[in-house]
Amino acid sequence: MSSAEIKAIAMLLRARNAIDERIADVVGRPAAHGHLSDWIAAQVFDIALEPTADRAIDGFFRSGPLAGRSVNIKHYTRNQGMLDMTDAEDLDTYLVMTGPRGGPAGAHRPWSIEHVYLFDAQGLYDTLHSEMRRIGVATGIPSRYWDQAEIHPVSRNANFPLSAEQTAALEEFRTDRV
């Protein structure tokens, strides 16, 4: 055991704890990955978060073309073509924010938003089910469906065009800016 390495990690964790505390003060939730990504999505996409999100629904869009529709918010530090899915019939959409595509499994994965996708939950479920794909945790989604659902940085999903303000907000979380 290296005493210097132990001390260095303890010092870094104290610094990280102080940063996490500041984040929690701003967002009003723990700085855990899911809570933070839900809060960011709520700010950027005008989503009313459920106070006690259940397994499938994190909130509801308050405005725009999807006003009143339910959403499950996901954030992955890398887009590896997987999506944790549910068969909940009352879920309308998946809003998925990811870091860069692919990448080595063991490498550092900085928290970023490089891509955003909006999937019709029931349509995606039905399509994958008809293709005989396994649906659940880490469901493999073919790249053509990711491409069709992309709303940032390339707008390929005409059902949800982003405003200049939303695009600018998302740009703040790019790897080269974070």
Side-chain angles (χ1 to χ4, degrees):
M1 167 176 31
S2 166
S3 177
E5 288 175 338
I6 293 289
K7 287 181 181 185
I9 292 298
M11 179 188 71
L12 290 168
L13 286 173
R14 281 191 292 278
R16 185 168 97 181
N17 288 339
I19 290 169
D20 285 352
E21 183 178 13
R22 290 174 51 201
I23 290 171
D25 287 344
V26 171
V27 304
R29 303 173 126 210
H33 187 105
H35 289 296
L36 182 56
S37 56
D38 288 357
W39 183 87
I40 291 169
Q43 302 306 303
V44 174
F45 299 102
D46 195 23
I47 296 169
L49 295 174
E50 289 289 280
T52 54
D54 69 16
R55 176 173 90 79
I57 296 175
D58 292 316
F60 294 85
F61 288 95
R62 289 190 278 224
S63 62
L66 299 177
R69 299 201 55 191
S70 62
V71 61
N72 183 282
I73 301 164
K74 302 288 187 195
H75 178 265
Y76 302 108
T77 54
R78 294 243 183 246
N79 179 350
Q80 296 180 308
M82 304 289 200
L83 178 61
D84 291 341
M85 292 184 66
T86 177
D87 60 359
E89 293 178 6
D90 54 347
L91 176 62
D92 296 316
T93 58
Y94 289 102
L95 178 67
V96 185
M97 302 177 291
T98 74
R101 291 185 172 117
H108 171 64
R109 296 180 178 196
W111 204 108
S112 69
I113 299 172
E114 303 290 330
H115 301 272
V116 182
Y117 307 88
L118 184 71
F119 292 97
D120 173 273
Q122 298 308 311
L124 182 62
Y125 181 88
D126 291 345
T127 298
L128 296 176
H129 190 267
S130 73
E131 293 176 359
M132 307 291 279
R133 293 185 180 270
R134 184 192 63 77
I135 298 172
V137 175
T139 301
I141 308 294
S143 60
R144 67 184 177 273
Y145 300 133
W146 288 100
D147 291 343
Q148 292 168 0
E150 188 169 17
I151 61 173
H152 176 81
V154 178
S155 178
R156 298 176 193 192
N157 182 338
N159 295 323
F160 201 81
L162 298 184
S163 69
E165 183 180 33
Q166 288 171 313
T167 299
L170 291 167
E171 288 295 313
E172 291 295 324
F173 296 99
R174 289 185 56 83
T175 303
D176 57 1
R177 301 213 44 175
V178 175

